[in-house]
Amino acid sequence: MPPSAIIQPLTSWTFWAWVLATAHVALQVALAWRVIMQRRPTGESLAWVMVIFGFPIVGPLAYLTIGELRLGRRRAKRFVELYPPIRKWLAELPQRSLVDWSRLSPEFESLSQLGQSLIGVPSLRGNHVELINDWQHVFARLIADIDAAQRTCHLEFYIWSNGGEADKVGDALVEAASRGVVCRVLVDALGSRAFLKSEQAARLRQAGVHVQAALPGGLLRAPFVRFDLRLHRKIVAIDGRVAYTGSLNLVDPRFFKKDAGVGEWVDAMVRIEGPAVEALAITFLADWFVETNSDLSELQATGDAHPQPSRGDCTVQVMPSGPALATDAVEQMLITAIYAAREELVLTTPYFVPSEPLSLALIAAARRGVKVILVIPARVDSLLVRFASGAFKGDMLRAGVRIMLFSDGLLHTKSITVDGSYSLFGSVNLDPRSMRLNFEILLALYDPEFTGELRELQQHYIDRSHMMDLARYQRRPQLRRIGENFARLLSPLL
């Protein structure tokens, strides 16, 4: 074979390789420019630039898949349609349940004003809030309320997992639907994937229960909808009269994720009666409207979201969050509460991967003399979170934060108490996903009595934990340190 016959294919191959390499670099530069011009948090921007340039092909592909908050054209349109009636409803709320801040601490009012300016939902007085700290009691109360329902049963969860008490909830919904109660179930398409394909879901639909998947994904939808945006809320509203929220998914801990090696999941919920129920009911109906083809006027007529009479003395602010709302609203609320602490700050969360502002707020609180106690599980079910979290623990320990490692299962309760006087409670983890990507629900409870009960529960968790030792932490293997530091670089994207 003559040399020219060999040189010609090589020259052609070299040319196309050069074209592809140039196109790839141009794509990397274009994506990095897009990241910079979107003015995201600095840590998130730098992490994405590192991924785009540090991982050829995979990095740009990852950004194109999960790099931007794409809700999808239809869902975005539904949100736009939803805004006018929601604004009208929000304008009416203060007239129904004015809070007399002179009877409460002045700092409560400023935090409430922040939440209202960020999310638009005012604080509502006159609620009876019951903290339920064990899953058996939650299911017993929930099933009893469904059995007593006369008009509507609305359930919204990230995960519905079949088995045990969760099946009894399904039985109660089937019975409720048989007597004419409108039953709607909204679950995350990814978190509840097995349930949605199960005989239980088919049985519910056959009985007349409306079962809807939220935020469905898939390869065909990936270019148009970001698949890892998740509905992480846990909300139940029954007859517009009673509501539940907190950290417990619709799962029986005796059967859920038994092969994860972390033990039973430990959760808490609140049961609410009073004006705040309307806000939770509206949140559910808004999510249902966005994910279905329901007519808004029909939901307003059949959704049981209506004013409730005073049932107690607790002032509650309901704060839904998510990519369609102010993306940093929850983080601003948390950071403001941390800086407002004067004596004691207790936080419980299963996943601790703080942003830089949140990390600095906790460190500053500890260094100015606030007793900061962070209660987290000794073992979590996510390897990447485990490594990323480990990278932050040293800074916390050196600043004087007391890190308690809960060793009696996976502590899943998300709660914050500030000076024993007010608290934050709901579905929000202390990680970037909860702050920016998930649709979450957070309650601010401006009530020393409830906060005292929550603080007792936190103490119960502390008593079942052991304190993390700085000296032992510093002796961890070098390979683990390297893994943690690399995971920390990616933590803004988790």
Side-chain angles (χ1 to χ4, degrees):
M1 180 180 296
S4 60
I6 300 175
I7 294 172
Q8 182 64 29
L10 286 177
T11 303
S12 177
W13 181 89
T14 303
F15 171 76
W16 286 111
W18 179 85
V19 170
L20 291 174
T22 302
H24 184 269
V25 171
L27 177 62
Q28 288 176 309
V29 172
L31 293 179
W33 178 257
R34 184 173 178 84
V35 169
I36 293 169
M37 295 308 294
Q38 287 180 341
R39 297 177 59 84
R40 305 179 184 202
T42 303
E44 182 181 347
S45 297
L46 291 175
W48 271 122
V49 171
M50 182 190 73
V51 168
I52 290 169
F53 283 104
F55 299 91
I57 300 176
V58 175
L61 182 61
Y63 182 82
L64 291 172
T65 305
I66 62 172
E68 298 186 7
L69 300 179
R70 298 188 303 275
L71 291 169
R73 181 179 299 177
R74 191 202 69 82
R75 188 172 288 108
K77 181 180 178 182
R78 297 287 277 181
F79 272 113
V80 171
E81 294 174 11
L82 187 65
Y83 287 146
I86 289 292
R87 282 195 293 264
K88 180 181 177 183
W89 169 75
L90 289 173
E92 296 172 352
L93 275 178
Q95 303 170 21
R96 302 177 189 165
S97 187
L98 290 173
V99 177
D100 183 4
W101 293 108
S102 65
R103 298 177 59 246
L104 299 171
S105 173
E107 64 186 286
F108 293 177
E109 184 176 10
S110 60
L111 191 62
S112 173
Q113 288 177 344
L114 174 64
Q116 185 169 350
S117 65
L118 290 171
I119 299 174
V121 182
S123 295
L124 304 171
R125 62 174 174 82
N127 299 283
H128 174 71
V129 182
E130 176 186 359
L131 177 64
I132 310 177
N133 60 16
D134 67 270
W135 65 268
Q136 295 98 330
H137 195 192
V138 173
F139 276 104
R141 296 299 300 276
L142 176 57
I143 292 170
D145 283 327
I146 294 174
D147 288 341
Q150 298 177 0
R151 297 182 304 275
T152 55
C153 291
H154 293 157
L155 287 76
E156 178 176 350
F157 287 95
Y158 173 57
I159 300 174
W160 183 320
S161 181
N162 294 326
E165 296 299 311
D167 290 350
K168 294 182 181 179
V169 173
D171 294 339
L173 287 173
V174 168
E175 177 61 28
S178 71
R179 61 178 187 268
V181 175
V182 177
C183 298
R184 298 181 175 101
V185 173
L186 181 64
V187 292
D188 184 78
L190 180 62
S192 300
R193 180 171 50 186
F195 162 75
L196 289 166
K197 297 179 179 179
S198 69
E199 294 181 2
Q200 174 76 306
R203 173 172 167 260
L204 290 171
R205 292 188 177 104
Q206 188 175 8
V209 178
H210 305 280
V211 179
Q212 176 66 38
L215 297 164
L219 291 177
L220 295 178
R221 297 169 59 90
F224 312 103
V225 180
R226 180 169 173 173
F227 74 89
D228 67 331
L229 301 180
R230 305 289 13 127
L231 181 73
H232 197 244
R233 293 174 183 148
K234 293 88 177 167
I235 298 174
V236 176
I238 298 175
D239 285 346
R241 177 186 58 83
V242 60
Y244 293 77
T245 193
S247 65
L248 179 66
N249 288 293
L250 200 68
V251 303
D252 188 321
R254 297 172 298 179
F255 307 104
F256 182 63
K257 287 195 173 183
K258 295 303 292 183
D259 57 348
V262 295
E264 286 191 5
W265 291 41
V266 178
D267 285 284
M269 297 285 277
V270 291
R271 182 181 184 273
I272 304 175
E273 293 180 272
V277 173
E278 183 184 4
L280 288 166
I282 285 286
T283 301
F284 171 87
L285 292 174
D287 291 338
W288 185 268
F289 173 79
V290 168
E291 296 297 335
T292 67
N293 293 319
S294 300
D295 184 76
L296 189 57
S297 60
E298 176 194 353
L299 288 179
Q300 290 173 324
T302 66
D304 262 344
H306 44 73
Q308 289 294 298
S310 176
R311 298 292 186 186
D313 298 322
C314 187
T315 296
V316 178
Q317 189 169 27
V318 177
M319 293 180 286
S321 65
L325 303 169
T327 55
D328 60 350
V330 166
E331 186 175 28
Q332 286 192 44
M333 284 292 295
L334 294 177
I335 290 173
T336 301
I338 291 169
Y339 278 118
R342 295 293 177 265
E343 298 177 0
E344 182 188 73
L345 182 68
V346 184
L347 312 93
T348 71
T349 182
Y351 307 116
F352 180 67
V353 187
S355 64
E356 185 174 350
L358 187 59
S359 177
L360 291 175
L362 289 170
I363 289 172
R367 285 179 172 165
R368 69 173 188 268
V370 176
K371 182 181 179 181
V372 180
I373 304 175
L374 174 65
V375 191
I376 57 177
R379 299 185 301 268
V380 294
D381 58 331
S382 170
L383 181 63
L384 187 55
V385 169
R386 192 181 311 163
F387 273 90
S389 179
F392 292 94
K393 292 174 181 175
D395 295 338
M396 298 290 154
L397 291 170
R398 282 185 284 270
V401 175
R402 305 178 192 186
I403 301 179
M404 308 301 299
L405 301 177
F406 184 82
S407 54
D408 198 10
L410 192 147
L411 177 60
H412 196 241
T413 303
K414 305 97 163 46
S415 67
I416 298 176
T417 59
V418 183
D419 295 338
S421 60
Y422 64 96
S423 47
L424 301 171
F425 183 88
S427 67
V428 178
N429 295 310
L430 299 182
D431 66 0
R433 171 159 295 281
S434 278
M435 303 297 171
R436 303 184 184 280
L437 300 181
N438 289 341
F439 290 87
E440 304 279 5
I441 191 75
L442 179 69
L443 301 183
L445 300 111
Y446 306 107
D447 184 77
E449 183 177 349
F450 173 85
T451 300
E453 295 178 13
L454 182 58
R455 180 63 182 86
E456 289 181 9
L457 176 59
Q458 291 176 326
Q459 187 60 47
H460 177 63
Y461 296 150
I462 292 170
D463 294 340
R464 297 159 65 188
S465 308
H466 62 276
M467 186 179 295
M468 192 170 181
D469 180 66
L470 177 58
R472 184 176 179 181
Y473 169 82
Q474 292 174 330
R475 293 196 300 269
R476 69 197 189 284
Q478 183 65 25
L479 190 61
R480 184 176 183 87
R481 297 188 186 197
I482 295 173
E484 289 174 350
N485 288 334
F486 272 101
R488 180 170 185 164
L489 291 176
L490 296 176
S491 64
L493 311 183
L494 295 181

